[in-house]
Each structure stands twice: as C-alpha cells, then as structure tokens.
Amino acid sequence: QARLENLSRDLQLIKDSGRQPLFTWSGRFSSSCVPFDAASVPGSHVVQFLARESSKPDRHCGTEGEVWTAMSTSTFAKDILERYGKTREASEEASIILSQEVAGLLAIATGNKKETPTEASAVRWASAFTSQTLGLKEDSIILHPWRLAIGGEFIHEINAYETPFEATALSGLEAGDRIAALLQQT
C-alpha cells in the first residue's frame, strides 16, 4: 500500500512538471521500396520515429503510393513553436521541414534520389512526452497484488534512451513480459 501511495505522489509530480511538444507528420510518396516498416531515428534532430502506414493490419499500398507517419523530436517542435507560436503557420512550417527530412531518410534507406511527398501535413501535440521521469533503473513498474504493470517514457532515468519513443516502446515491451511472467506463475 505504501508503494502505491509513493508511486501516486511521484506520478503527480511528473504530471505537474510539464510536458514536451512534438509534431506528427503524415505524407504520401508515389513510390517507395523501403526495406523496413518502422524505425527509430536517433541520428536525426528532426524525426525520432518513422512508420509505413500500409504495414498496419488491413492497410495496403495502393496505386496512389505509400503513406508514412513520422514523430518529430521535442527539440524540433520547441524550436518551431518558439518561432511561430501555436499557429497554423507553425504546423505548415513543420510539415515542410518534416517532409524534407523524411524524404531524405527514405532516400538514404533506398539509395534512390530524394522524392518530394505528393501530399503531407503536420499536427502539433502540445504535451506529448514528460519532461521528467521517475528515474528508475527499470523500464516498467509492476504491482504484484493488482497484477498491474505500468510502462512509459516517464519510468526510466531521463537519458537512458536516445528518444522518448524508444523509452516508451521498450518500457511497454518490458511491462508486457513482466505481466506474462506473472500470469504464468498463477
């Protein structure tokens, strides 16, 4: 019970500490023969994650090409928002820059020339990731009496991973593994 009360207090502190913005981008490319469906992009200052939409269940690549989705870095989003504020122009500028970055990343992956997306848009998320973490050594928290696992970018030490997306994904995987192990014991 004490652990649950401490966890509740610590999570409230994280909630109150503020969040980091990001932009999500979606764009269509007329041709794309990329050898992956998704990638974490720690080497980019603009994009932290990239995914092919047609790789999702019941989504197929049509004659119109492939749709890709990208998540920006929080640093990029903060820069855009400092220059343009929370305006439509901010999303338009983010879309232009993200389009160029994603096109460049896909060109590197395929060895082809850089292709401009046939359509693209960006959406601003004012509070996407936490600005602080619990600072734990583990990626997830398990509360045995309740068979509850908690995962997210806010669990592990702040600089443990290259991107918040990577921290979120690995935390979720560990939480799932820990719950599966717990359920096998019963």
Side-chain angles (χ1 to χ4, degrees):
Q1 186 69 26
R3 182 170 187 210
L4 189 58
E5 288 172 8
N6 289 338
L7 179 61
S8 175
R9 182 196 68 237
D10 292 345
L11 290 173
Q12 186 63 48
L13 289 172
I14 288 173
K15 180 182 174 195
D16 294 342
S17 71
R19 309 215 16 113
Q20 298 179 41
L22 67 78
F23 285 93
T24 54
W25 173 92
S26 183
R28 181 180 304 280
F29 292 91
S30 60
S31 65
S32 183
C33 296
V34 180
F36 59 84
D37 288 329
S40 179
V41 192
S44 171
H45 298 291
V46 177
V47 173
Q48 67 173 305
F49 178 73
L50 184 61
R52 181 193 335 243
E53 288 293 314
S54 60
S55 66
K56 292 180 179 179
D58 298 324
R59 295 196 184 174
H60 308 285
C61 180
T63 56
E64 308 87 37
E66 291 185 332
V67 175
W68 285 81
T69 297
M71 290 173 50
S72 79
T73 63
S74 291
T75 304
F76 168 77
K78 285 178 195 171
D79 177 57
I80 293 291
L81 293 172
E82 284 173 7
R83 290 190 284 140
Y84 293 92
K86 296 177 182 178
T87 63
R88 189 165 104 174
E89 288 78 18
S91 293
E92 290 169 356
E93 180 69 7
S95 181
I96 291 167
I97 295 169
L98 286 161
S99 292
Q100 293 168 353
E101 182 73 4
V102 171
L105 292 168
L106 294 178
I108 291 168
T110 62
N112 295 334
K113 67 179 181 114
K114 194 172 178 178
E115 178 186 347
T116 302
T118 56
E119 55 185 288
S121 65
V123 175
R124 174 184 52 85
W125 297 87
S127 54
F129 290 110
T130 61
S131 56
Q132 292 185 354
T133 71
L134 292 173
L136 302 178
K137 299 283 185 205
E138 56 202 4
D139 286 328
S140 65
I141 297 169
I142 190 156
L143 302 169
H144 291 275
W146 298 279
R147 293 184 178 179
L148 174 68
I150 301 171
E153 86 284 359
F154 57 89
I155 304 289
H156 211 288
E157 297 171 328
I158 192 103
N159 294 320
Y161 296 103
E162 292 284 332
T163 67
F165 175 79
E166 184 180 9
T168 301
L170 293 173
S171 180
L173 289 170
E174 182 182 278
D177 287 346
R178 293 176 82 181
I179 284 293
L182 180 68
L183 293 175
Q184 287 178 349
Q185 294 173 359
T186 59

